[in-house]
Amino acid sequence: MKFAHLIFCGVAAFALPAVAVPKESVRAAPVAATATSSTLFPGELDIPIADGSNVPSNCEFPSSLTASGLELACIVADGAAEDEVGIEYISWLGSNGFRHSADIIGGFVAARETGNGCEQTLNIYPHGEEGETAGIWFALEREPRCAAAQPETP
């Protein structure tokens, strides 16, 4: 599970200066059976599809994600490029204001401030065992997480 290990280790990249993702690395890939895009979450996050990865026609999301009401996207790495793919996605997140927010079962949460005490959150789940195609499931929360209003003291 080399790819998953790389992603988890790459979380430290949120604390380091981000590496720019070159525009040349963006390429078109199928987002759904009938549409194409060069980004994940078009119009929302616009995460560029990294060189060495593509969006499969069937992401095979676990039922826990499909039943949750999240916006979903996925990529698979093209064999030998899986380390570079993980680094590109982590670098993009860091350079676009995301930080590691929490560890969750099977992955981690990246968050960035949106204003008024709110955060946009993206759950990231690396997957693929040794000998399988490595990939990442992305689950974007539709509504920002906002801090609970604090009662005013007299």
Side-chain angles (χ1 to χ4, degrees), residues 19-83:
V19 176
V21 177
K23 294 287 183 198
E24 301 81 55
S25 69
V26 178
R27 67 177 182 197
V31 172
T34 59
T36 61
S37 176
S38 60
T39 64
L40 301 175
F41 305 108
E44 183 74 28
L45 291 182
D46 294 311
I47 301 172
I49 309 277
D51 272 345
S53 67
N54 64 76
V55 178
S57 60
N58 181 357
C59 288
E60 299 181 12
F61 294 108
S63 60
S64 59
L65 289 180
T66 58
S68 63
L70 300 166
E71 290 186 46
L72 302 175
C74 76
I75 60 95
V76 293
D78 298 334
E82 67 184 47
D83 289 346

Side-chain angles (χ1 to χ4, degrees), residues 39-125:
T39 64
L40 301 175
F41 305 108
E44 183 74 28
L45 291 182
D46 294 311
I47 301 172
I49 309 277
D51 272 345
S53 67
N54 64 76
V55 178
S57 60
N58 181 357
C59 288
E60 299 181 12
F61 294 108
S63 60
S64 59
L65 289 180
T66 58
S68 63
L70 300 166
E71 290 186 46
L72 302 175
C74 76
I75 60 95
V76 293
D78 298 334
E82 67 184 47
D83 289 346
E84 292 81 13
V85 167
I87 290 168
E88 258 193 77
Y89 286 106
I90 293 295
S91 294
W92 185 92
L93 290 168
S95 66
N96 284 277
F98 282 90
R99 62 178 168 63
H100 177 260
S101 176
D103 292 324
I104 53 179
I105 295 174
F108 65 95
V109 177
R112 68 177 172 184
E113 291 184 31
T114 60
N116 299 328
C118 298
E119 292 182 324
Q120 184 175 40
T121 55
L122 179 66
N123 302 318
I124 301 162
Y125 303 94

